[in-house]
């Protein structure tokens, strides 16, 4: 094994520390797609615009504070606010949504 070559875990942890440290609070406007609710009460969706997409998660306790989520449907344009989180097992990041509002309000 080569010396000083980081493991996958080490690299993902560095990315996690950087992203989560620099994007603790961010608001993003986009169109909802791929909306789904889990049996546990969490909501998962993608926010997208013409060029990009961002995976989002609204956990159960935050969903209770956001009654709008019950009426949300694919195609709705919203502003989602929260912080970026990195899921180590997949090496992916998502917006951990704390608040949603209709776009333009």
């Amino acid at each position: 094994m080569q010396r000083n070559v980081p493991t996958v875990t080490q690299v993902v942890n560095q990315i996690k520390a950087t992203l989560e440290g620099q994007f603790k609070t961010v608001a993003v406007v986009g169109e909802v797609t791929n909306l789904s609710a889990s049996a546990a009460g969490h909501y998962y969706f993608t926010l997208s615009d013409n060029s990009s997409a961002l995976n989002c998660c609204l956990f159960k306790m935050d969903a209770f504070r956001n009654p709008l989520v019950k009426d949300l449907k694919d195609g709705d344009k919203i502003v989602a606010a929260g912080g970026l989180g990195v899921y180590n097992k997949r090496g992916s990041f998502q917006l951990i949504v704390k608040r949603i509002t209709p776009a333009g309000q």
Side-chain angles (χ1 to χ4, degrees):
M1 186 171 223
Q2 296 181 351
R3 294 177 191 251
N4 301 322
V5 176
T7 65
V8 171
T9 298
Q10 289 170 323
V11 170
V12 171
N13 283 339
Q14 288 176 334
I15 292 167
K16 179 179 178 79
T18 301
L19 277 180
E20 291 180 0
Q22 295 206 353
F23 294 93
K24 288 181 183 180
T25 305
V26 62
V28 181
V29 64
E31 185 176 301
V32 174
T33 57
N34 304 315
L35 178 64
S36 66
S38 74
H42 310 312
Y43 290 84
Y44 299 94
F45 57 95
T46 303
L47 271 186
S48 58
D49 59 23
N50 291 335
S51 303
S52 300
L54 176 63
N55 290 329
C56 300
C57 177
L58 179 69
F59 290 119
K60 181 179 182 176
M61 293 310 295
D62 293 312
F64 283 132
R65 291 186 275 278
N66 289 276
L68 171 68
V69 73
K70 292 177 185 169
D71 298 322
L72 216 65
K73 61 188 180 311
D74 282 2
D76 286 349
K77 198 165 185 181
I78 64 166
V79 175
L84 290 185
V86 174
Y87 185 57
N88 289 49
K89 290 188 182 226
R90 276 191 304 225
S92 62
F93 72 95
Q94 60 188 354
L95 179 63
I96 308 300
V97 179
K98 298 293 184 184
R99 188 178 72 250
I100 57 172
T101 54
Q105 289 189 1

